[in-house]
């Protein structure tokens, strides 16, 4: 028998028989690594993308330990969107077919409250839901979590993106401390480590993907005349067409000038520098991080603390005066196994800086020729659009309220909603460009938390 066969695990015979009937034989890599510690009752933090078989991994774990005769909620699975929660519920029911009388209940925003209240009164073994709606039922005393033995956070990075961290924390605080907690995430930003530290005890870490390495960054230097900087910058953007780019300048004034010049030429660029008010800075960072702007022009100081996933390119409009800063700048791309490009412009008078960089990184540099750059089409259009809502934490607006208002009756799909950021007096939500007008109308004509708020589309 293969060591990757499901039959090699200490699973309930009824579950194994059902797996055979469903045609499940060999475990996927994420299942082979995560199921043994899950079945042993350990906390697990797993890096796994949709389609990797992660749902079956945690579903088999929670079904194996479920006590069917105890008609109490024993497992809670939290998901970022209604669509994912529905998908997870279906998969759990499919895997549970051989065990009679298991009740799985789905609690999501954008669905009527009435039937959910009735279902909760009838009880369930497993609840799958979105944080906003779970919190509403919890606050009204309808959802009891005293008997939870397993908490699953699915697509945890996406839940953090959507601003659900406080909701997750509050929901978890209502459960027994000695439960098993399983955390699944496609990426491992710092917030995921911090979330794990909050909720997990000595978790087993599982990952089936490569980590960041400098090999993922292709770095090229272009020699230009001083007056050719902007022209060459636009040629680089048109040649590579990155979805997300940070362009570094050495002065605040230049940052704004470069962003303005790019905008005039049809590029979706925003500037960030020290002379901006906090609200402006927040808005710029939100729009770049949520993919509704594809280019951020920044000084080193303004870019501090910038944590952008999947940054495809870094362009040095000017070389830094310090080789260490240069290496820090370009290290923002090519993370988590993805490919990145680092492109730098320099004039002949700056050649000494290249020698310093070469000494610092201890390997030879590679050169690009501006004449080899090809115009590959119109400037990239960001995939998302940001809607600004004139209500935030002070108005008690939560991410779940916004998600519910967007995806309710006649609303847009949850999969079309991106990052949600909530500040004291404003909230920002990214939606797919194709759904932006419907989403705007939905928020302008509907209510959030029973109230009307001004909503506008940021251009």
């Amino acid at each position: 028998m293969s060591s990757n066969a499901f039959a090699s695990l200490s699973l309930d015979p009824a579950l194994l028989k059902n797996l055979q009937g469903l045609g499940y034989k060999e475990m996927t890599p994420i299942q082979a690594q995560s199921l043994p510690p899950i079945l042993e009752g350990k906390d697990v933090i797993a890096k796994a993308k949709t389609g990797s078989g992660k749902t079956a991994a945690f579903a088999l774990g929670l079904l194996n330990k479920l006590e069917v005769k105890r008609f109490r909620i024993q497992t809670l699975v939290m998901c970022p969107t209604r669509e994912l929660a529905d998908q997870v519920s279906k998969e759990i029911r499919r895997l549970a077919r051989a065990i009679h009388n298991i009740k799985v209940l789905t609690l999501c925003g954008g669905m009527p409250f009435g039937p959910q209240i009735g279902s909760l009164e009838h009880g369930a073994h497993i609840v799958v839901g979105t944080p906003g709606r779970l919190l509403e039922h919890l606050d009204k005393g309808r959802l009891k979590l005293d008997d939870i033995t397993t908490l699953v956070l699915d697509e945890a990075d996406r839940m953090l993106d959507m601003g659900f961290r406080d909701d997750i924390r509050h929901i978890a605080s209502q459960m027994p401390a000695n439960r098993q907690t399983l955390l699944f995430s496609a990426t491992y930003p710092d917030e995921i480590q911090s979330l794990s530290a909050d909720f997990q005890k000595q978790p087993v870490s599982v990952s089936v993907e490569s980590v960041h390495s400098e090999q993922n960054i292709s770095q090229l230097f272009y020699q230009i005349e001083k007056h050719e900087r902007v022209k060459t910058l636009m040629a680089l953007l048109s040649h590579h067409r990155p979805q997300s780019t940070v362009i570094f300048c050495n002065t605040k004034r230049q940052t704004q000038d470069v962003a303005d010049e790019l905008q005039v030429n049809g590029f979706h660029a925003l500037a960030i520098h020290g002379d901006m008010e906090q609200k402006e800075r927040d808005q710029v960072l939100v729009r770049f991080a949520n993919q509704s702007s594809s280019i951020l022009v920044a000084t080193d100081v303004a870019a501090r603390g910038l944590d952008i996933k999947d940054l495809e390119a870094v362009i040095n409009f000017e070389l830094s005066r310090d080789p260490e800063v240069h290496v820090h700048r370009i290290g923002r791309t090519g993370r988590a196994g993805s490919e990145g490009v680092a492109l730098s412009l320099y004039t002949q008078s700056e050649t000494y800086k290249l020698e310093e960089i070469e000494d610092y990184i201890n390997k030879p540099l590679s050169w690009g020729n501006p004449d080899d750059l090809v115009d590959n089409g119109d400037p990239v259009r960001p995939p998302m659009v940001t809607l600004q809502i004139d209500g935030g934490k002070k108005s008690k607006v939560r991410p779940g309220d916004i998600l519910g208002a967007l995806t309710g009756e006649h609303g847009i799909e949850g999969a079309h909603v991106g990052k949600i950021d909530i500040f004291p007096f404003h909230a920002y939500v990214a939606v797919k460009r194709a759904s932006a007008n419907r989403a705007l109308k939905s928020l302008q004509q509907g209510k959030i938390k029973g109230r009307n708020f001004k909503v506008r589309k940021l251009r």
Side-chain angles (χ1 to χ4, degrees):
M1 181 172 46
S2 158
S3 61
N4 269 10
F6 282 100
S8 67
L9 300 170
S10 53
L11 276 172
D12 181 305
L15 283 175
L16 276 174
K17 194 175 174 188
N18 186 38
L19 282 170
Q20 281 175 334
L22 292 169
Y24 283 67
K25 291 187 181 72
E26 296 278 310
M27 290 184 272
T28 66
I30 198 70
Q31 291 162 358
Q33 286 192 40
S34 64
L35 259 168
I38 289 174
L39 293 173
E40 284 172 24
K42 292 176 180 170
D43 285 2
V44 170
I45 176 168
K47 184 175 180 181
K49 287 187 166 58
T50 305
S52 60
K54 63 185 167 71
T55 308
F58 64 72
L60 289 168
L62 61 90
L63 288 169
N64 200 60
K65 73 193 271 193
L66 199 72
E67 294 178 46
V68 185
K69 288 177 182 167
R70 281 186 71 228
F71 201 49
R72 297 272 190 280
I73 298 170
Q74 296 170 47
T75 298
L76 179 68
V77 182
M78 269 193 256
C79 303
T81 63
R82 184 172 92 204
E83 288 85 357
L84 183 65
D86 284 339
Q87 211 176 305
V88 167
S89 298
K90 279 187 190 129
E91 178 75 350
I92 293 173
R93 287 189 189 104
R94 224 162 66 90
L95 293 168
R97 272 194 322 212
I99 305 169
H100 298 298
N101 303 323
I102 286 188
K103 179 99 182 281
V104 182
L105 178 58
T106 315
L107 300 176
C108 300
M111 302 296 282
F113 258 109
Q116 293 184 357
I117 295 167
S119 297
L120 276 167
E121 283 170 356
H122 287 108
H125 294 102
I126 299 163
V127 169
V128 182
T130 50
R133 182 54 62 95
L134 291 170
L135 201 54
E136 287 175 280
H137 285 299
L138 199 59
D139 287 350
K140 293 201 164 56
R142 300 187 197 111
L143 180 62
K144 298 275 189 286
L145 303 177
D146 309 344
D147 295 283
I148 291 285
T149 58
T150 312
L151 166 64
V152 181
L153 301 176
D154 193 15
E155 294 198 6
D157 50 349
R158 180 121 161 79
M159 286 196 279
L160 292 180
D161 273 354
M162 295 170 89
F164 285 128
R165 181 174 185 135
D166 290 345
D167 291 0
I168 295 169
R169 193 190 292 275
H170 183 69
I171 295 164
S173 73
Q174 307 299 303
M175 300 177 191
N178 62 347
R179 63 173 189 270
Q180 181 182 25
T181 303
L182 310 174
L183 191 156
F184 288 79
S185 179
T187 57
Y188 269 12
D190 291 346
E191 304 101 290
I192 287 292
Q193 304 293 354
S194 151
L195 195 69
S196 170
D198 286 350
F199 300 131
Q200 297 189 295
K201 297 184 193 78
Q202 299 176 310
V204 175
S205 189
V206 169
S207 176
V208 289
E209 292 186 341
S210 60
V211 291
H212 170 60
S213 129
E214 280 181 32
Q215 266 65 49
N216 294 334
I217 304 172
S218 73
Q219 184 172 195
L220 289 172
F221 293 82
Y222 291 84
Q223 184 174 342
I224 43 130
E225 297 297 328
K226 201 168 185 177
H227 66 276
E228 293 175 330
R229 275 191 203 274
V230 173
K231 184 183 87 172
T232 312
L233 171 65
M234 290 194 287
L236 287 170
L237 291 167
S238 299
H239 179 88
H240 290 280
R241 293 179 60 74
Q243 290 290 324
S244 57
T245 308
V246 173
I247 297 169
F248 282 103
C249 297
N250 290 344
T251 66
K252 298 176 204 171
R253 169 81 186 272
Q254 196 175 49
T255 303
Q256 194 62 58
D257 289 348
V258 169
D260 292 345
E261 190 74 37
L262 288 173
Q263 282 171 10
V264 166
N265 284 279
F267 292 91
H268 208 296
L270 297 171
I272 185 164
H273 51 76
D275 284 347
M276 297 168 80
E277 288 182 16
Q278 190 58 44
K279 186 189 161 192
E280 283 180 292
R281 282 173 54 85
D282 290 341
Q283 200 181 91
V284 166
L285 287 177
V286 159
R287 291 170 71 188
F288 185 66
N290 71 18
Q291 295 183 297
S292 58
S293 181
S294 51
I295 299 168
L296 181 69
V297 190
T299 56
D300 291 304
V301 173
R304 269 187 203 147
L306 193 66
D307 182 23
I308 307 295
K309 291 177 212 160
D310 305 324
L311 185 58
E312 286 184 22
V314 168
I315 301 179
N316 292 304
F317 186 74
E318 286 182 305
L319 288 175
S320 165
R321 297 174 187 94
D322 180 345
E324 189 175 352
V325 171
H326 173 86
V327 170
H328 186 65
R329 281 179 179 184
I330 70 166
R332 294 171 182 278
T333 185
R335 291 186 176 180
S338 56
E339 300 292 321
V341 290
L343 311 165
S344 301
L345 305 179
Y346 73 97
T347 59
Q348 194 165 3
S349 64
E350 294 177 293
T351 312
Y352 73 94
K353 290 183 182 175
L354 300 181
E355 291 164 4
E356 289 176 352
I357 291 167
E358 202 164 35
D359 286 347
Y360 186 80
I361 65 173
N362 199 21
K363 63 181 183 191
L365 305 182
S366 300
W367 318 100
N369 184 347
D371 295 336
D372 294 340
L373 298 172
V374 178
D375 185 344
N376 285 317
D378 293 337
V380 168
R381 286 188 89 198
M384 312 296 274
V385 170
T386 297
L387 305 180
Q388 177 184 304
I389 300 157
D390 284 354
K393 283 180 184 164
K394 300 279 184 191
S395 308
K396 304 263 192 298
V397 171
R398 290 197 307 236
D401 304 324
I402 296 170
L403 190 64
L406 282 168
T407 58
E409 209 179 348
H410 312 304
I412 66 172
E413 287 179 44
H416 285 208
V417 182
K419 221 166 179 292
I420 299 174
D421 293 274
I422 300 193
F423 293 89
F425 299 101
H426 296 90
Y428 302 95
V429 56
V431 291
K432 287 209 169 150
R433 189 169 287 280
S435 301
N437 290 334
R438 248 177 80 211
L440 181 65
K441 203 169 162 187
S442 181
L443 290 180
Q444 285 175 334
Q445 293 178 351
K447 286 182 161 54
I448 300 171
K449 259 211 151 35
R451 293 169 57 191
N452 295 104
F453 290 98
K454 269 190 184 168
V455 185
R456 68 188 180 97
K457 188 158 68 172
L458 299 180
R459 298 194 184 280

